[in-house]
Amino acid sequence: MSTRPRLLPWPDSAGKRCYLVTDDGDSRLSRLADEMEATQLTVGAELLGHAGEMLRAHKVSKGELRFLVKCLREALSDALRVAESRGGRLPVCADSEPHESLDDAPESERGACE
């Protein structure tokens, strides 16, 4: 069994955090959570593009802006939950552990265990 619970991208019916504890990172629920995270991030990116279009139009009502802010808040909340979940699943490297050579890795992949 995994010693590190995975924060799932959805709350329970009471709005509390849900966690998955499994030794199978490719379980049905893990794949569903991966798909949900991808969908949440895609929706957030699309909403951000839509917000830019609305703000450039300069003819947006207060009600439309309130709705936009509500949607952006939800998207940001989802993105932060995904970031926290993914960050919690990063490998932890102790100073005494040997590190794989990152010399040939792209710069964006360096630094996780350095």
Side-chain angles (χ1 to χ4, degrees):
M1 183 172 5
S2 174
T3 58
R4 298 174 75 184
R6 175 184 179 166
L7 175 62
L8 293 173
W10 55 78
D12 69 8
S13 60
K16 296 182 180 179
R17 294 168 165 242
C18 293
Y19 292 90
L20 173 64
V21 179
T22 183
D23 57 356
D24 182 4
D26 195 39
S27 69
R28 185 175 177 188
L29 190 55
S30 292
R31 288 191 312 271
L32 178 63
D34 290 341
E35 291 171 14
M36 181 67 158
E37 286 180 352
T39 299
Q40 288 172 324
L41 294 176
T42 298
V43 167
E46 290 172 358
L47 181 59
L48 189 58
H50 182 63
E53 292 171 12
M54 285 180 67
L55 295 174
R56 280 189 294 277
H58 297 291
K59 293 184 180 180
V60 182
S61 71
K62 287 182 181 180
E64 288 172 318
L65 282 176
R66 283 190 181 115
F67 183 71
L68 175 62
V69 169
K70 177 184 177 285
C71 292
L72 287 170
R73 182 189 177 283
E74 290 171 3
L76 178 58
S77 178
D78 289 343
L80 290 173
R81 183 185 299 261
V82 169
E84 181 180 352
S85 177
R86 291 182 180 180
R89 289 180 275 145
L90 289 174
V92 177
C93 294
D95 289 338
S96 61
E97 291 181 14
H99 301 273
E100 291 183 22
S101 175
L102 296 174
D103 294 336
D104 297 328
E107 189 172 330
S108 63
E109 293 179 15
R110 296 181 191 166
C113 296
E114 292 185 329

